[in-house]
Amino acid sequence: MLLEVKDLHVSYGAIRALKGVSCGVKEGEIVALIGANGAGKTTTLRTISGLIRPISGDITYKGKSLIKMPPHQIVSQGISQVPEGRRVFTRMTVLENLEMGAYIRNDKANVKADIKKVFARFPRLEERKAQLAGTLSGGEQQMLAMGRALMSQPTVLLMDEPSMGLAPMLVQEIFSIIKEINQAGTTILLVEQNAHMALSIASRAYVLETGEVVLAGQASDLAKDPEVQKAYLGE
């Protein structure tokens, strides 16, 4: 496994958010974490990113533990997160947001080249590069959050609820872009409430319920599982 979560336990005060979660992502995969609100999906991503300290368990990346690393060091290792709710810097321009995504890099010339690559992938962002990020639509902010995360040149991209609050047409577009990013060589761990879309692009998936993994397997098999269909796919 390129990135592996082993028996992770996390608490918020008296609330046990994760109760022994184990999951992993192999190089080149898209792996989905699906489950209801409060299942522990976001907590898992935030713990991988170093934003939350677990009580016990381990997270390894290329065989090396991340548990004691601060978030900026985890980014410099090659793991970047697109946070839930986009979290763009609203009072900065589109271009400044992208530059912020490259804050750990010293290769200025390559940063410029990577900004061009982001604009090639998201032409709407180039049209609005001098615009304040807070004035963008929800879909454009999601594209900006993705572009900003790509600016740190991640090997693994953690994506938290990329379709949240978007119109159905835009959801299709965002998921197509996620597939393109993966095909271009970035491994993806995807947390998504829209289980149908997540399972349609993932190779494998884990189902979380109240802080525990209750099902795991090939995404195509889970999409056909009657329990998954009933609980998450509205079938």
Side-chain angles (χ1 to χ4, degrees), residues 120-135:
R121 182 163 270 134
F122 303 104
R124 260 182 282 179
L125 294 184
E126 184 166 26
E127 290 164 17
R128 292 160 174 71
K129 65 184 176 187
Q131 203 169 310
L132 293 182
T135 65

Side-chain angles (χ1 to χ4, degrees), residues 41-201:
K41 306 183 303 294
T42 293
T43 299
T44 302
L45 290 196
R46 287 173 66 81
T47 310
I48 294 169
S49 292
L51 299 168
I52 295 171
R53 291 271 171 247
I55 297 164
S56 63
D58 200 7
I59 298 161
T60 58
Y61 173 63
K62 297 183 178 175
K64 188 172 159 186
S65 179
L66 301 177
I67 285 296
K68 295 199 164 77
M69 277 188 203
H72 70 273
Q73 210 175 331
I74 291 171
V75 173
S76 66
Q77 294 291 312
I79 299 173
S80 188
Q81 183 165 352
V82 181
E84 182 182 5
R86 307 188 266 268
R87 308 270 177 91
V88 295
F89 301 111
T90 53
R91 295 185 181 188
M92 288 183 176
T93 65
V94 166
L95 185 58
E96 285 165 344
N97 267 268
L98 295 177
E99 288 167 347
M100 283 297 285
Y103 76 98
I104 57 161
R105 294 173 56 183
N106 300 315
D107 52 337
K108 294 282 180 278
N110 290 338
V111 166
K112 282 189 174 165
D114 282 350
I115 286 172
K116 280 187 180 160
K117 281 186 199 163
V118 169
F119 286 154
R121 182 163 270 134
F122 303 104
R124 260 182 282 179
L125 294 184
E126 184 166 26
E127 290 164 17
R128 292 160 174 71
K129 65 184 176 187
Q131 203 169 310
L132 293 182
T135 65
L136 300 178
S137 71
E140 289 160 356
Q141 287 191 9
Q142 184 60 53
M143 290 171 191
L144 180 55
M146 288 161 76
R148 182 181 61 188
L150 289 171
M151 286 302 298
S152 66
Q153 298 181 308
T155 305
V156 177
L157 192 58
L158 310 175
M159 303 202 71
D160 197 356
E161 302 284 9
S163 79
M164 187 187 271
L166 299 185
M169 282 280 292
L170 269 174
V171 172
Q172 293 281 357
E173 188 179 346
I174 292 293
F175 273 85
S176 296
I177 293 164
I178 294 169
K179 269 172 77 173
E180 282 170 26
I181 290 167
N182 175 247
Q183 283 158 0
T186 305
T187 301
I188 293 172
L189 180 58
L190 170 69
V191 158
E192 180 53 64
Q193 198 96 68
N194 186 334
H196 199 72
M197 288 299 291
L199 294 174
S200 76
I201 67 163

